[in-house]
Structure formats: C-alpha cells, structure tokens
Amino acid sequence: MKPSDLPLCWRTALEPQFAAPYFQELLARIEKDRSHFLVFPLANEVFSAFRLTPLEAVKVVLLGQDPYHGDGQAHGLCFSVRPSVEYPPSLRNILRELQTDTGCNPPGHGCLEAWARQGVLMLNAVLTVRANEPNSHQGWGWEQFTDAAIAAVNAKRDPVVFALWGSAAQKKAAMIDAGRHVILTAPHPSPLSAYRGFFGSRPFSRINQALIERGREPIDWDLAAAGNV
C-alpha cells in the first residue's frame, strides 16, 4: 500500500496529501492495525480505484462509504466484490436496477472492474476497514485524502458525471462545480433505502445520457459481456 502504486497523474494531483503529516500517520496506523487485526482490502488493493481509473480517464464518479468488511469481499472498488464472492445486499440491488434500467443480463458475478476500466472512478470515502468491524477506520484520515481526490476530479476541464447515492455521498455535492460537471442523486441502494427511490431511478441510462450530451463516450454497463471480468 504505497502512493507509488498510483498512476503518475494521480500521484501528481495528490502529492500534497502524500507529503502531509496526517497521511504518513494514517499509513503507519493502518500498518500497525494490520499487525493485530485482519484488515480489508489487501494492502496491494487499497488504491485499486486509482490504479484502474487514471485521473485523465475519469468520466464518472461513483462514491461509496466504507469497504465491505466480510472475508474476501473488498478489493478496492466501492460496491464491487471479487468474481467468486456472493453479492452483498447493496450490490444485489445495484445489479437488479442495472437489469431493469438497461436490460443487461445478470452477470453471474459482482466484480465491477469493467466499469472502472472504462472511466468510472469507484471511490469509497474510507479505503480500509477491520474485518467484521464496519466503519472501524472512519475518522482516521482517509476522508481528507479521498476529498482531495474528488477535488482533483472536480478540477478537470472535461465534464464528469458524479453519481451520488445516499445522504453521505450527496454531502460531497458542495465540492463539485455543477456548472461544469453533472450531479445525479438517488437514494442509497442498501436494503434500508433502495425501495425509497433507488429502484426506478435509472442511474445507468441517466449517466450515459449525460455523457452523450456532453460529447463523451458512454459506459458499457454490461458485466455479462465477454471479456468484462
């Protein structure tokens, strides 16, 4: 888990964070935590969202909160799990809405890397968590780092679509220039709120419509397509 793992564009944009005392303290604290507890995701996957979606490639931002805390689930992308892992409830609802919205066939897996490779930055506010202890690394400093990443995307000249699901993600709208970028909101896909408006919000077709209207290539959301895993 090293900043050098990130693409050059991200390293350049986030260099002030890497050099800041809070970030050095954060890395040291997580390393110490790993010596006593099981921490997810694996150290070499903490920055997967940045590695798979370089800053210059970002077209869409999808924000989550905390990594999955179950064994083998988190691998560095919000809402995504490894191909062989059972869907967590929120992801199951996302894939249900995906099929309703776009007609995509069920993929048979919950790995969303194919989206990340097309320019969907799949960023959690907090990038690590102890096993079976949700929000255990909340307030450690990750929020400052990921806010800086959002600010770097906001500074891009090309229009970006921000999909903000749930109240926590929607608080980030204040950081986004709505005159240059697009903000699409919906309730969170968790079982507690999916029926309050996430289902039927058609986020995937709305994202693509916004991209097309701004001259950008739409996302192929079809996870079941050959080569998408």
Side-chain angles (χ1 to χ4, degrees):
M1 188 181 72
K2 306 181 297 296
S4 58
D5 295 337
L6 276 67
L8 178 60
C9 51
W10 279 118
R11 295 202 309 269
T12 301
L14 298 174
E15 179 59 35
Q17 308 305 311
F18 299 143
Y22 90 88
F23 191 78
Q24 299 303 316
E25 292 168 7
L26 169 64
L27 295 187
R29 190 174 181 184
I30 292 169
E31 184 175 356
K32 182 178 179 181
D33 219 41
R34 286 190 188 277
S35 69
H36 296 285
F37 303 96
L38 186 58
V39 172
F40 299 128
L42 298 175
N44 65 349
E45 294 180 324
V46 170
F47 294 121
S48 289
F50 301 95
R51 178 174 52 81
L52 291 169
T53 314
L55 179 58
E56 69 266 18
V58 176
K59 296 190 290 187
V60 179
V61 177
L62 184 58
L63 295 178
Q65 279 301 107
D66 204 43
Y68 294 128
H69 55 85
D71 189 23
Q73 293 179 319
H75 66 122
L77 302 179
C78 68
F79 298 113
S80 181
V81 294
R82 301 175 190 280
S84 59
V85 175
E86 183 178 356
Y87 305 154
S90 291
L91 178 56
R92 184 175 299 279
N93 290 338
I94 289 169
L95 296 178
R96 172 179 164 179
E97 178 63 17
L98 174 67
Q99 184 176 15
T100 301
D101 182 10
T102 67
C104 290
N105 292 323
H109 65 85
C111 182
L112 308 182
E113 281 192 13
W115 297 353
R117 295 184 188 280
Q118 295 179 73
V120 183
L121 179 64
M122 308 191 67
L123 185 65
N124 278 315
V126 176
L127 299 187
T128 55
V129 66
R130 285 182 194 166
N132 305 313
E133 294 186 41
N135 300 313
S136 48
H137 288 179
Q138 194 174 63
W140 284 24
W142 278 129
E143 295 90 344
Q144 183 172 342
F145 177 77
T146 54
D147 277 358
I150 294 170
V153 175
N154 182 62
K156 283 169 59 73
R157 296 178 65 181
D158 293 332
V160 173
V161 181
F162 289 80
L164 307 182
W165 297 345
S167 58
Q170 288 162 20
K171 290 177 181 176
K172 305 297 184 183
M175 302 175 57
I176 301 164
D177 179 357
R180 187 164 72 255
H181 305 300
V182 180
I183 301 173
L184 300 178
T185 62
H188 195 275
S190 74
L192 293 175
S193 56
Y195 286 94
R196 298 174 186 168
F198 179 76
F199 290 139
S201 65
R202 303 183 65 86
F204 307 101
S205 58
R206 290 170 66 206
I207 288 170
N208 276 355
Q209 180 181 356
L211 290 172
I212 292 168
E213 288 174 351
R214 287 155 184 81
R216 308 209 70 183
E217 191 74 18
I219 305 298
D220 178 2
W221 299 109
D222 189 359
L223 295 166
N228 264 13
V229 182

